Coordinates of all heavy atoms in Angstrom, one line a residue:
Q1 N 38.1 90.2 168.8 CA 38.6 89.0 169.1 C 37.8 88.2 170.1 O 37.6 87.0 170.0 CB 40.0 89.1 169.5 CG 40.8 87.7 169.5 CD 40.8 87.1 168.1 OE1 41.3 87.7 167.1 NE2 40.4 85.9 168.1
K2 N 37.4 88.9 171.2 CA 36.6 88.2 172.3 C 35.3 87.6 171.7 O 34.9 86.5 172.1 CB 36.3 89.2 173.4 CG 37.5 89.5 174.4 CD 37.1 90.5 175.5 CE 38.3 90.8 176.3 NZ 38.8 89.7 177.0
F3 N 34.7 88.4 170.8 CA 33.5 87.9 170.2 C 33.8 86.5 169.5 O 33.0 85.6 169.6 CB 32.9 88.9 169.1 CG 31.6 88.4 168.5 CD1 30.3 88.6 169.1 CD2 31.7 87.7 167.3 CE1 29.2 88.1 168.5 CE2 30.5 87.2 166.7 CZ 29.3 87.4 167.2
F4 N 34.8 86.5 168.6 CA 35.1 85.2 167.9 C 35.6 84.2 168.8 O 35.6 83.0 168.4 CB 36.1 85.6 166.7 CG 35.5 86.5 165.6 CD1 35.9 87.6 165.3 CD2 34.3 85.9 165.0 CE1 35.3 88.4 164.2 CE2 33.7 86.7 164.0 CZ 34.2 87.9 163.7
D5 N 36.2 84.5 169.9 CA 36.6 83.5 170.8 C 35.5 83.0 171.7 O 35.7 82.1 172.6 CB 37.7 84.1 171.8 CG 39.0 84.3 171.1 OD1 39.2 83.8 170.0 OD2 39.9 85.1 171.6
G6 N 34.3 83.5 171.5 CA 33.2 83.0 172.2 C 32.9 83.8 173.6 O 32.0 83.4 174.3
D7 N 33.8 84.8 173.9 CA 33.6 85.6 175.1 C 32.6 86.7 174.8 O 33.1 87.9 174.7 CB 35.0 86.1 175.6 CG 34.8 86.9 176.8 OD1 33.7 86.9 177.5 OD2 35.9 87.4 177.3
I8 N 31.4 86.5 174.6 CA 30.5 87.5 174.2 C 30.3 88.6 175.3 O 30.1 89.8 175.0 CB 29.1 86.9 173.8 CG1 29.1 85.7 172.8 CG2 28.1 88.0 173.3 CD1 29.9 86.1 171.5
E9 N 30.3 88.2 176.6 CA 30.2 89.0 177.6 C 31.4 90.0 177.6 O 31.2 91.2 177.9 CB 30.0 88.3 178.9 CG 30.0 89.2 180.1 CD 28.7 90.1 180.2 OE1 27.8 89.8 179.4 OE2 28.7 91.0 181.0
G10 N 32.5 89.5 177.4 CA 33.8 90.4 177.4 C 33.7 91.4 176.2 O 34.0 92.5 176.4
S11 N 33.2 90.9 175.1 CA 33.1 91.8 173.9 C 31.9 92.9 174.3 O 32.2 94.0 173.9 CB 32.6 90.9 172.7 OG 32.4 91.8 171.6
R12 N 30.9 92.4 174.8 CA 29.8 93.4 175.1 C 30.3 94.5 176.2 O 30.1 95.6 175.9 CB 28.6 92.6 175.7 CG 27.4 93.6 176.1 CD 26.3 92.8 176.8 NE 26.7 92.4 178.1 CZ 26.6 93.3 179.2 NH1 26.3 94.5 179.0 NH2 27.0 92.8 180.3
K13 N 31.1 94.1 177.1 CA 31.6 95.0 178.1 C 32.5 96.1 177.5 O 32.5 97.3 177.8 CB 32.4 94.3 179.2 CG 31.5 93.6 180.2 CD 32.3 92.9 181.3 CE 31.4 92.3 182.3 NZ 32.1 91.5 183.3
L14 N 33.3 95.7 176.5 CA 34.2 96.6 175.8 C 33.4 97.5 174.9 O 33.7 98.7 174.8 CB 35.3 95.8 175.0 CG 36.4 95.2 175.8 CD1 37.3 94.4 174.9 CD2 37.2 96.4 176.5
Q15 N 32.4 97.0 174.3 CA 31.5 97.8 173.4 C 30.8 98.8 174.3 O 30.9 100.1 173.9 CB 30.5 97.0 172.7 CG 29.5 97.8 171.9 CD 30.1 98.3 170.6 OE1 30.1 97.7 169.6 NE2 30.5 99.6 170.6
L16 N 30.3 98.5 175.4 CA 29.5 99.5 176.2 C 30.5 100.4 176.9 O 30.2 101.6 177.0 CB 28.7 98.7 177.2 CG 27.5 97.8 176.6 CD1 26.8 97.2 177.7 CD2 26.7 98.6 175.7
K17 N 31.7 100.0 177.2 CA 32.7 100.9 177.8 C 33.1 102.0 176.9 O 33.3 103.2 177.3 CB 33.9 100.1 178.2 CG 35.0 100.9 178.9 CD 36.2 100.1 179.1 CE 37.4 101.0 179.6 NZ 38.7 100.1 179.9
A18 N 33.1 101.7 175.6 CA 33.6 102.7 174.6 C 32.5 103.6 174.1 O 32.8 104.5 173.3 CB 34.2 101.9 173.4
M19 N 31.2 103.5 174.6 CA 30.2 104.2 173.9 C 30.3 105.7 174.1 O 30.1 106.5 173.1 CB 28.8 103.8 174.5 CG 28.4 102.4 174.1 SD 28.3 102.2 172.4 CE 26.8 103.1 172.0
E20 N 30.6 106.3 175.3 CA 30.7 107.7 175.4 C 31.9 108.2 174.7 O 31.9 109.3 174.1 CB 30.8 108.1 176.9 CG 31.0 109.6 177.2 CD 30.0 110.4 176.4 OE1 28.8 110.0 176.3 OE2 30.3 111.5 176.0
L21 N 33.0 107.5 174.7 CA 34.2 107.8 173.9 C 33.8 107.9 172.4 O 34.2 108.9 171.7 CB 35.3 106.8 174.1 CG 36.6 107.1 173.5 CD1 37.2 108.5 173.8 CD2 37.6 106.0 173.7
C22 N 33.1 106.9 171.9 CA 32.7 106.9 170.5 C 31.8 108.2 170.2 O 32.0 108.9 169.2 CB 31.8 105.7 170.2 SG 32.7 104.2 170.1
H23 N 30.9 108.5 171.1 CA 30.1 109.7 170.9 C 30.9 111.0 171.0 O 30.6 111.9 170.1 CB 28.9 109.8 172.0 CG 28.0 108.6 172.0 ND1 27.6 108.1 170.8 CD2 27.3 108.0 173.0 CE1 26.7 107.1 171.1 NE2 26.6 107.0 172.4
A24 N 31.8 111.1 171.8 CA 32.7 112.3 171.9 C 33.6 112.4 170.7 O 33.8 113.5 170.2 CB 33.6 112.2 173.2
L25 N 34.0 111.3 170.1 CA 34.8 111.3 168.9 C 34.0 111.7 167.6 O 34.5 111.9 166.5 CB 35.4 109.9 168.6 CG 36.6 109.6 169.6 CD1 37.1 108.1 169.4 CD2 37.8 110.6 169.3
F26 N 32.6 111.8 167.8 CA 31.8 112.2 166.7 C 30.9 113.4 167.1 O 29.9 113.6 166.4 CB 31.0 111.0 166.2 CG 31.8 110.0 165.4 CD1 32.5 109.0 166.0 CD2 31.9 110.1 164.0 CE1 33.2 108.1 165.3 CE2 32.7 109.2 163.3 CZ 33.3 108.2 163.9
C27 N 31.3 114.2 168.1 CA 30.5 115.3 168.5 C 30.7 116.4 167.5 O 30.0 117.4 167.5 CB 30.7 115.7 170.0 SG 32.5 116.3 170.2
E28 N 31.8 116.4 166.8 CA 32.0 117.2 165.6 C 32.4 116.2 164.4 O 32.7 115.1 164.7 CB 33.1 118.2 165.8 CG 32.8 119.3 166.8 CD 33.7 120.5 166.8 OE1 34.5 120.7 165.8 OE2 33.9 121.2 167.8
V29 N 32.4 116.7 163.2 CA 32.6 115.9 162.0 C 34.0 115.2 162.1 O 35.0 115.9 162.4 CB 32.3 116.7 160.7 CG1 33.5 117.7 160.6 CG2 32.3 115.7 159.6
N30 N 33.9 113.9 161.9 CA 35.2 113.2 161.8 C 36.1 113.7 160.6 O 35.5 113.9 159.5 CB 34.9 111.7 161.5 CG 36.1 110.8 161.4 OD1 37.1 110.9 162.2 ND2 36.2 110.0 160.4
P31 N 37.4 113.9 160.7 CA 38.2 113.5 161.8 C 38.7 114.5 162.8 O 39.7 114.5 163.4 CB 39.4 113.0 161.1 CG 39.5 114.0 160.0 CD 38.1 114.3 159.5
I32 N 37.8 115.7 162.9 CA 38.3 116.7 163.9 C 38.6 116.2 165.3 O 39.6 116.4 165.9 CB 37.3 117.9 163.9 CG1 37.3 118.6 162.5 CG2 37.6 118.9 164.9 CD1 36.2 119.7 162.4
P33 N 37.6 115.5 165.9 CA 37.8 115.0 167.3 C 39.0 114.1 167.5 O 39.7 114.1 168.4 CB 36.5 114.4 167.7 CG 35.5 115.1 166.8 CD 36.2 115.2 165.4
V34 N 39.0 113.1 166.5 CA 40.0 112.1 166.7 C 41.5 112.7 166.4 O 42.5 112.3 167.0 CB 39.8 110.8 165.7 CG1 40.2 111.2 164.3 CG2 40.6 109.7 166.3
K35 N 41.5 113.7 165.6 CA 42.8 114.4 165.5 C 43.1 115.2 166.7 O 44.3 115.2 167.1 CB 42.6 115.4 164.2 CG 43.9 115.6 163.4 CD 44.5 114.4 162.7 CE 45.6 114.7 161.8 NZ 45.4 115.5 160.6
K36 N 42.1 115.7 167.4 CA 42.5 116.4 168.7 C 42.9 115.3 169.6 O 43.8 115.6 170.5 CB 41.2 117.1 169.1 CG 41.3 117.7 170.5 CD 42.4 118.7 170.7 CE 42.1 120.0 169.9 NZ 43.2 121.1 170.2
A37 N 42.2 114.2 169.6 CA 42.6 113.2 170.6 C 44.1 112.7 170.4 O 44.8 112.5 171.4 CB 41.7 111.9 170.5
T38 N 44.5 112.5 169.2 CA 45.8 112.1 168.9 C 46.8 113.2 169.3 O 48.0 112.9 169.6 CB 46.1 111.7 167.4 OG1 45.8 112.8 166.6 CG2 45.2 110.5 167.0
E39 N 46.4 114.4 169.2 CA 47.2 115.5 169.7 C 47.3 115.5 171.2 O 48.5 115.6 171.8 CB 46.6 116.9 169.3 CG 47.3 118.1 169.8 CD 46.6 119.3 169.6 OE1 45.5 119.4 169.0 OE2 47.2 120.5 170.0
L40 N 46.2 115.3 171.9 CA 46.3 115.2 173.4 C 47.2 114.1 173.8 O 47.9 114.1 174.9 CB 44.8 115.0 173.9 CG 43.9 116.2 173.7 CD1 42.5 115.7 174.0 CD2 44.3 117.3 174.7
M41 N 47.3 113.0 173.1 CA 48.1 111.8 173.4 C 49.5 112.0 172.9 O 50.3 111.0 173.1 CB 47.4 110.6 172.8 CG 46.0 110.2 173.4 SD 45.2 108.9 172.6 CE 46.3 107.5 173.0
G42 N 49.8 113.1 172.3 CA 51.2 113.3 171.8 C 51.6 112.6 170.5 O 52.7 112.4 170.2
M43 N 50.6 112.1 169.8 CA 50.8 111.2 168.6 C 50.9 112.1 167.3 O 51.6 111.7 166.4 CB 49.8 110.2 168.4 CG 49.7 109.2 169.6 SD 48.1 108.3 169.7 CE 48.2 107.3 168.2
T44 N 50.2 113.2 167.3 CA 50.3 114.2 166.2 C 50.2 115.6 166.8 O 50.0 115.7 168.1 CB 49.0 114.0 165.2 OG1 47.9 114.6 165.8 CG2 48.8 112.6 164.9
N45 N 50.3 116.5 166.0 CA 50.2 118.0 166.4 C 48.7 118.5 166.3 O 48.4 119.6 166.6 CB 51.1 118.9 165.8 CG 50.9 118.9 164.3 OD1 49.9 118.5 163.8 ND2 51.9 119.5 163.6

């Protein structure tokens, strides 16, 4: 949304902030890591 609102810097900051999280969520084949993440957050078992 920030990109489309013209806040390119805000969009860039969120993209770069998420990079290590993205990498961690794909350190094993999807959806193993994201399923683990939802478990840690109490959303699934």
Side-chain angles (χ1 to χ4, degrees):
Q1 191 61 54
K2 284 179 182 295
F3 179 89
F4 289 122
D5 289 343
D7 182 7
I8 307 303
E9 178 64 13
S11 179
R12 183 185 67 82
K13 285 181 177 179
L14 285 173
Q15 176 73 88
L16 297 182
K17 178 184 177 182
M19 291 303 287
E20 179 51 34
L21 182 61
C22 292
H23 295 328
L25 286 170
F26 285 88
C27 66
E28 289 189 26
V29 68
N30 180 49
I32 291 173
V34 73
K35 211 61 176 295
K36 173 59 72 174
T38 59
E39 177 188 359
L40 291 167
M41 295 172 68
M43 299 164 66
T44 74
N45 59 15

